[in-house]
Amino acid sequence: MRKEAKVALFTVLVAWAVMFAAPYVAHAITAPTTGTFAYDVYDITVNKMLKGPIGFVGGVAGIVFGATQLFMGRIFQGVLPVLGGALLLKAEDITSTLGLLI
């Protein structure tokens, strides 16, 4: 077997082992309520910035910029801003799903 094939096989086996060694528990949080730990930080960053006008304008601007890059034929420069804008528009859902709380 050639060296490249051995490296590819080893990489696939390591990725397979890591996937099956991972725990099967999903961790997610609910949005904190008033008076709980770090509610003020969550309120400012998620509710007032990401879900507010700053997050909306940033998300739409990213999608529009990416679309203009796609129309000009710059695929790689267009896909990333579109994905980033979509992520910014759905930031609260992503934050709750991943279990991230500042």
Side-chain angles (χ1 to χ4, degrees), residues 11-81:
T11 304
V12 169
L13 289 176
V14 168
W16 181 77
V18 168
M19 282 190 315
F20 286 106
Y24 292 102
V25 179
H27 299 286
I29 64 162
T30 57
T33 57
T34 306
T36 58
F37 177 71
Y39 173 75
D40 293 331
V41 174
Y42 181 85
D43 185 45
I44 292 170
T45 56
V46 174
N47 293 334
K48 293 186 179 167
M49 291 177 72
L50 292 177
K51 287 175 47 181
I54 296 172
F56 181 76
V57 169
V60 171
I63 291 173
V64 169
F65 177 74
T68 58
Q69 295 298 310
L70 289 173
F71 285 131
M72 293 192 308
R74 299 178 185 154
I75 303 298
F76 188 69
Q77 291 89 354
V79 170
L80 294 178

